[in-house]
């Protein structure tokens, strides 16, 4: 395995938040999913990111989901809080400063959405968050949702300016961008893949793991793939990547977490309910997903 891996290396899973038919949070199902992914070998959990539908939960519900997750995990793996993004920098800084992060290993913060700030604005935003954050920060670059790309020079500037930045979740889908960060990063700073199909490739050029959607359904496959790649066993990593390859498009064809919630429900771990404006995967696509999951070798729900 690569020497001196940074924090949050390996496999993180961006947990879904299961709902009941009345759209209340299904805590028994959440507990089953947590146990399933930990038993599947993931290294840490990211609670209430995009995949966790945090934007459709109230502040109180987010607090309750995070508290439940910390209690249920019971220190078996680290837990990262993933719902600390925003485009009003001072309000976000106040929220973080006043929040209770007891038991939380890290904070993932997406770059400001909708306002499309320039790189200097993104830099100042993150530096303000770093001033108040009591835990290591994972910069989350996801241009497909924020409509702005945190460029390598900005990521590197942040990493060099403050030790509070522990990693970047790089979800631009541009492998050369991740490679540029890897080429110049401080040794303590991790580069994590945020696009599951690219995880093996990103590790092959020096990356440190990924924060995964598909690992909700296939934690063992994804974790073993990441471990193999980190151990430079690319033959095994490719094999596992190929086993999952046909599943990936069906997880995103009608949006995330629509697809992954359908997959986890097909495994019997939760019911397939979302909060509007998200709606369950259409019947035709769900049948395709069922058939593809049936073809994944050694899948043990």
């Amino acid at each position: 395995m690569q020497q001196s891996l940074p924090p949050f290396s390996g496999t993180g899973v961006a947990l879904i938040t299961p709902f009941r038919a009345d759209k209340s949070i299904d805590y028994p199902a959440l507990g089953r999913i947590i146990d399933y992914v930990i038993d599947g070998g993931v290294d840490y959990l990211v609670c209430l990111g995009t995949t966790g539908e945090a934007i459709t939960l109230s502040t109180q519900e987010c607090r309750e989901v995070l508290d439940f997750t910390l209690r249920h995990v019971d220190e078996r793996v680290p837990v990262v809080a993933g719902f600390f993004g925003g485009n009003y920098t001072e309000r976000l800084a106040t929220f973080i400063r006043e929040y209770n992060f007891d038991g939380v290993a890290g904070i993932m913060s997406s770059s400001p959405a909708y306002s499309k700030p320039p790189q200097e604005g993104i830099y100042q935003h993150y530096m303000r968050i770093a001033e108040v954050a009591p835990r290591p920060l994972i910069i989350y670059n996801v241009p497909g949702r924020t409509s702005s790309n945190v460029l390598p020079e900005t990521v590197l500037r942040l990493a060099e300016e403050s030790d509070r930045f522990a990693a970047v979740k790089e979800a631009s889908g541009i492998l050369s961008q991740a490679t540029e960060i890897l080429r110049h990063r401080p040794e303590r700073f991790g580069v994590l893949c945020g696009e599951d199909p690219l995880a093996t490739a990103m590790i092959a050029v020096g990356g440190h793991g990924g924060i995964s959607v598909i690992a909700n359904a296939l934690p063992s496959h994804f974790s073993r793939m990441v471990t193999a790649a980190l151990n430079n066993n690319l033959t095994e990593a490719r094999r596992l990547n190929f086993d999952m390859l046909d599943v990936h498009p069906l997880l995103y064809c009608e949006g995330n977490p629509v697809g992954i919630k359908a997959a986890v429900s097909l495994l019997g771990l939760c019911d397939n309910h979302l909060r509007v404006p998200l709606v369950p995967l259409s019947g035709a696509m769900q049948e395709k997903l069922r058939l593809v999951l049936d073809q994944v070798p050694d899948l043990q729900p």
Side-chain angles (χ1 to χ4, degrees):
M1 186 175 288
Q2 296 177 13
Q3 298 299 311
S4 302
L5 289 173
F8 308 115
S9 296
T11 295
V13 57
L15 280 174
I16 65 169
T17 303
F19 298 131
R20 299 186 179 91
D22 64 2
K23 307 305 171 70
S24 62
I25 297 163
D26 188 343
Y27 286 103
L30 179 57
R32 287 193 296 273
I33 294 164
I34 290 170
D35 292 339
Y36 175 66
V37 299
I38 292 176
D39 291 345
V42 305
D43 296 294
Y44 60 98
L45 311 182
V46 178
C47 179
L48 293 167
T50 303
T51 306
E53 294 179 76
I55 57 174
T56 66
L57 301 180
S58 69
T59 301
Q60 182 60 32
E61 286 176 320
C62 285
R63 178 75 259 179
E64 291 168 358
V65 168
L66 179 59
D67 287 344
F68 174 88
T69 300
L70 290 167
R71 287 195 306 272
H72 195 85
V73 169
D74 194 23
E75 299 184 348
R76 286 177 286 172
V77 296
V79 175
V80 172
F83 57 103
F84 288 92
N87 56 6
Y88 181 1
T89 303
E90 283 306 314
R91 180 169 59 193
L92 179 59
T94 299
F95 184 51
I96 290 172
R97 186 174 59 246
E98 296 175 352
Y99 208 79
N100 179 3
F101 287 98
D102 288 352
V104 173
I107 301 167
M108 189 170 75
S109 182
S110 57
S111 62
Y114 190 75
S115 52
K116 297 183 181 181
Q119 295 301 301
E120 179 61 28
I122 293 171
Y123 169 80
Q124 291 189 23
H125 170 86
Y126 273 116
M127 287 302 297
R128 181 71 182 103
I129 301 311
E131 290 175 5
V132 298
R135 297 289 185 273
L137 286 166
I138 300 173
I139 301 163
Y140 183 15
N141 182 35
V142 57
R145 290 187 181 273
T146 64
S147 294
S148 65
N149 188 9
V150 186
L151 295 176
E153 52 265 34
T154 302
V155 173
L156 291 166
R157 186 181 174 196
L158 290 165
E160 291 161 359
E161 187 69 24
S162 173
D163 290 347
R164 185 54 75 193
F165 297 107
V168 59
K169 179 183 177 183
E170 175 47 59
S172 69
I174 305 170
L175 189 57
S176 60
Q177 178 161 308
T179 306
E180 187 68 16
I181 299 168
L182 285 161
R183 182 185 184 188
H184 298 292
R185 69 178 179 91
E187 186 175 351
R188 60 174 175 74
F189 186 77
V191 179
L192 311 172
C193 187
E195 296 281 349
D196 287 350
L198 293 178
T200 294
M202 194 175 291
I203 294 169
V205 297
H208 305 104
I211 295 175
S212 171
V213 172
I214 200 172
N216 282 278
L218 304 176
S220 177
H221 290 72
F222 195 88
S223 297
R224 285 185 288 131
M225 180 192 74
V226 167
T227 298
L230 288 170
N231 281 311
N232 295 314
N233 185 353
L234 293 180
T235 299
E236 176 68 1
R238 280 195 297 268
R239 182 187 70 79
L240 289 160
N241 189 46
F242 291 155
D243 286 347
M244 295 182 284
L245 203 58
D246 292 337
V247 181
H248 291 302
L250 294 171
L251 300 185
Y252 304 101
C253 62
E254 295 179 9
N256 179 48
V258 172
I260 190 59
K261 226 172 205 188
V264 175
S265 72
L266 286 168
L267 296 177
L269 295 168
C270 70
D271 292 332
N272 190 18
H273 301 297
L274 299 99
R275 288 183 177 178
V276 175
L278 298 179
V279 295
L281 192 67
S282 62
M285 287 300 175
Q286 182 147 325
E287 179 60 16
K288 287 183 180 180
L289 180 58
R290 184 186 67 78
L291 293 172
V292 168
L293 284 173
D294 284 345
Q295 295 168 10
V296 176
D298 304 319
L299 177 57
Q300 300 290 332

